[in-house]
Amino acid sequence: MKYLIYLYTACLVRSLFAADLEPLRYNNPGLIVDLAVGLWAWPVPMDVNGDGNYDLVVSCHDVPYGGVYVFENATGDTAKNKMPIFKPARRISNGAPNVMPSYVEPVRIPVPENPHGSKVRFNQWRLVDYDGDGALDLTVGVEDWADYGWDRAFNERGEWTRGPLHGFIYLLRNTSTNAQPHYAAPMKIEAAGKPIDVFGCPSQCFGDFRGTGKLDLITGEFLDGFTFFENIGTRTAPKYAAGRRLSIRMDLEMIVVAAFDWDKDGDLDLIVGQEDGRVAFIENLGNTVDGLPQFAEPKFFQQQADLVKFGALATPVGVDWDGDGLEDIVSGNSAGYIGFIKNLGGNPPKFAAPVYLEADGKPIRIMAGPNGSIQGPAEAKWGYTTISVADWDGDGLPDIVANSILGKVVWWKNIGGDAADRSRMARSAAETGVELVESRPARAGHAVAHDAAHLRLERRRPARPRDARSRRLPRVFRTQTRRRRAQAAARKTHLLR
């Protein structure tokens, strides 16, 4: 149990008990899991140790995992194996925000820190020879929230009444040399005669993505997508057409993009970090359709297992989920998933890799969508699942009751097996996740309102059952009730004194 408490409280009491806490580890040699840091990933692909194989440096500047980490490639040349396995993270420094790679010789950049002139959330600098004259120019991507505000801007129809996030890109042209650069005043880069403006966090990537010899542009955004701007001008006089969306999407949002020829085939791929600390490889397939470069679907890099992780802002619960007498972990996270991490036994415990719990054959995931978060459409792909685990319907199996970004309490009934057949349930959990479905609670005191998307539980005063023992609440709720009664009695005693 000590280890489960550490997992849960790392973000909450770090400053109070940091000396007493230790991260929860898989303790499972040979286990492979998704490569990840904490909240969130700013990737820099490079050959760190000079062995000819590409490694990953990932910056993560938020607590409690903040730092710059090296993931060393453990399996060799990415020209032969595009998805190598990486060694566990090695921390090399404190974390830093806005880490954007430019693959150039080091240069001094004597310009103001923020060319936008007003407050920005992201300030992303990249050096590129924009106009082909041999001098490295500076491009700066900024994210401006001034029009968006922050929250409480929906009308009665669920429409956002403020502006969008803005993601502008500035060019500071180098009018001198790389040895002694002099940068002209910043100007916004345009496409189709208007300043480029994506939905925040542009992560501008200039490169020849189509093999034309010209610099096209691919941007990310605060959400999950990518925009391609075709250079319809020349290498020395770029001119950009209106942006067109690429078909690829990331699993989560707050994406950070780097263009890099990861598989060494002569075209630029995309290496992309996201909010939960994972990093994906998006392969450039080397062809175009209707002028758009074609990319494969994102694949998340993997590493040798070290620290137990389930996304960002995990909400773990310790419970014997599969009935084998060992305390497992069931957890929600910021992405809205609910996962199961099986305890394989031992002291300290050995854990399996997380698996998503499923309902109707699909991973459970709650997301805000365009108007489900009080903070607006910028939070569309977050769910913030917070869970309790209990036998809600008295059938001997642990169910899940979850709250989320939507503020709607949802019950998932466990149909993974009965108390006499826990082995079938355990196999299901270990391989594909336990299958769960939404169902009507058979519990006194709760009325259920149905719609197409969820079950909403509404607390009502229950009638007293004839046989109180047969209508007992699940253990977790009985414990909470006893605790509340004890706290009320203590307050009453204090007042009497």
Side-chain angles (χ1 to χ4, degrees):
M1 176 60 76
K2 178 176 70 171
Y3 294 94
L4 301 184
I5 292 173
Y6 289 163
L7 175 67
Y8 180 65
T9 59
C11 293
L12 302 179
V13 294
R14 179 173 177 267
S15 60
L16 295 176
F17 304 108
D20 298 325
L21 297 176
E22 63 179 272
L24 182 67
R25 298 184 182 276
Y26 282 104
N27 298 310
N28 191 348
L31 179 66
I32 302 301
V33 296
D34 284 347
L35 178 150
V37 293
L39 182 75
W40 71 93
W42 293 69
V44 180
M46 61 185 296
D47 179 3
V48 172
N49 53 13
D51 64 356
N53 300 325
Y54 290 146
D55 312 295
L56 281 175
V57 176
V58 185
S59 181
C60 163
H61 67 271
D62 219 326
V63 295
Y65 199 76
V68 175
Y69 295 87
V70 171
F71 292 88
E72 184 180 344
N73 181 343
T75 52
D77 190 358
T78 54
K80 300 176 181 178
N81 178 13
K82 300 173 185 180
M83 297 297 294
I85 303 300
F86 294 86
K87 294 181 181 180
R90 175 167 56 90
R91 191 177 190 272
I92 59 174
S93 76
N94 293 331
N98 299 311
V99 175
M100 307 292 289
S102 297
Y103 298 96
V104 299
E105 294 297 321
V107 295
R108 182 174 176 271
I109 306 176
V111 297
E113 182 177 341
N114 177 13
H116 188 56
S118 60
K119 185 178 179 180
V120 297
R121 184 171 183 182
F122 298 125
N123 190 355
Q124 303 173 303
W125 291 26
R126 276 212 167 106
L127 290 166
V128 61
D129 183 3
Y130 181 80
D131 51 11
D133 63 357
L136 290 173
D137 308 298
L138 176 64
T139 64
V140 180
V142 300
E143 179 178 281
D144 187 336
W145 285 60
D147 288 342
Y148 185 88
W150 191 254
D151 58 13
R152 301 179 185 275
F154 287 108
N155 62 21
E156 295 81 359
R157 296 183 298 275
E159 299 165 335
W160 186 249
T161 59
R162 294 189 183 136
L165 295 185
H166 294 293
F168 300 115
I169 304 172
Y170 287 89
L171 170 67
L172 288 78
R173 197 182 300 270
N174 184 356
T175 60
S176 184
T177 65
N178 293 332
Q180 294 182 321
H182 180 272
Y183 296 96
M187 56 180 292
K188 288 179 179 176
I189 297 177
E190 295 186 345
K194 298 185 295 185
I196 290 173
D197 185 8
V198 297
F199 195 76
C201 200
S203 298
Q204 69 279 5
C205 296
F206 292 91
D208 183 6
F209 294 97
R210 301 173 298 149
T212 63
K214 301 185 293 186
L215 290 188
D216 299 315
L217 169 64
I218 289 178
T219 69
E221 61 183 14
F222 189 83
L223 288 173
D224 63 345
F226 304 83
T227 304
F228 174 73
F229 296 88
E230 180 183 354
N231 183 354
I232 57 176
T234 66
R235 177 65 183 90
T236 56
K239 181 179 180 181
Y240 292 98
R244 291 189 286 167
R245 301 287 281 182
L246 298 178
S247 61
I248 48 177
R249 293 287 185 272
M250 291 294 288
D251 182 58
L252 196 45
E253 55 179 277
M254 289 175 72
I255 65 173
V256 180
V257 190
F260 189 83
D261 184 9
W262 179 259
D263 53 9
K264 303 179 182 180
D265 64 353
D267 53 35
L268 289 172
D269 309 301
L270 303 177
I271 308 297
V272 187
Q274 62 180 24
E275 184 252 8
D276 65 359
R278 292 187 293 168
V279 180
F281 167 56
I282 302 179
E283 182 184 358
N284 187 335
L285 298 176
N287 63 304
T288 62
V289 174
D290 193 24
L292 285 173
Q294 299 300 294
F295 292 88
E297 289 299 311
K299 295 180 180 178
F300 287 101
F301 288 117
Q302 295 195 304
Q303 66 168 88
Q304 298 166 358
D306 184 19
L307 302 181
V308 175
K309 191 175 188 301
F310 184 64
L313 306 180
T315 56
V317 173
V319 62
D320 181 7
W321 180 255
D322 54 7
D324 63 357
L326 300 174
E327 193 102 336
D328 308 304
I329 299 171
V330 179
S331 181
N333 62 19
S334 66
Y337 290 111
I338 299 175
F340 166 56
I341 304 173
K342 180 176 174 57
N343 184 344
L344 300 172
N347 186 19
K350 174 182 177 181
F351 289 97
V355 293
Y356 293 137
L357 298 188
E358 296 186 349
D360 298 327
K362 298 178 181 179
I364 294 172
R365 188 177 188 185
I366 297 174
M367 291 188 289
N371 57 10
S373 168
I374 194 173
Q375 294 182 180
E379 298 215 337
K381 296 203 78 170
W382 280 318
Y384 299 119
T385 37
T386 304
I387 66 171
S388 294
V389 180
D391 181 6
W392 186 254
D393 55 357
D395 66 353
L397 296 176
D399 306 311
I400 289 176
V401 177
N403 201 349
S404 70
I405 197 168
L406 303 176
K408 299 171 181 176
V409 179
V410 183
W411 172 49
W412 278 282
K413 174 180 170 60
N414 187 343
I415 61 169
D418 56 30
D421 189 18
R422 293 286 193 173
S423 61
R424 181 168 68 88
M425 181 176 172
R427 286 197 299 272
S428 177
E431 295 169 6
T432 61
V434 178
E435 184 182 13
L436 305 173
V437 296
E438 294 179 351
S439 182
R440 179 183 298 275
R443 179 65 60 193
H446 292 81
V448 184
H450 290 263
D451 65 25
H454 69 280
L455 298 178
R456 184 170 60 254
L457 306 185
E458 299 173 344
R459 186 67 175 171
R460 294 181 180 174
R461 184 181 300 276
R464 182 180 297 275
R466 294 181 180 179
D467 182 355
R469 288 174 300 178
S470 68
R471 305 291 291 180
R472 296 177 70 194
L473 289 171
R475 181 180 60 184
V476 63
F477 299 103
R478 297 199 307 270
T479 302
Q480 292 170 356
T481 300
R482 288 196 297 267
R483 186 181 298 116
R484 285 195 292 269
R485 288 173 178 169
Q487 291 169 345
R491 286 195 296 270
K492 183 177 180 180
T493 301
H494 178 74
L495 290 174
L496 290 174
R497 291 177 182 173

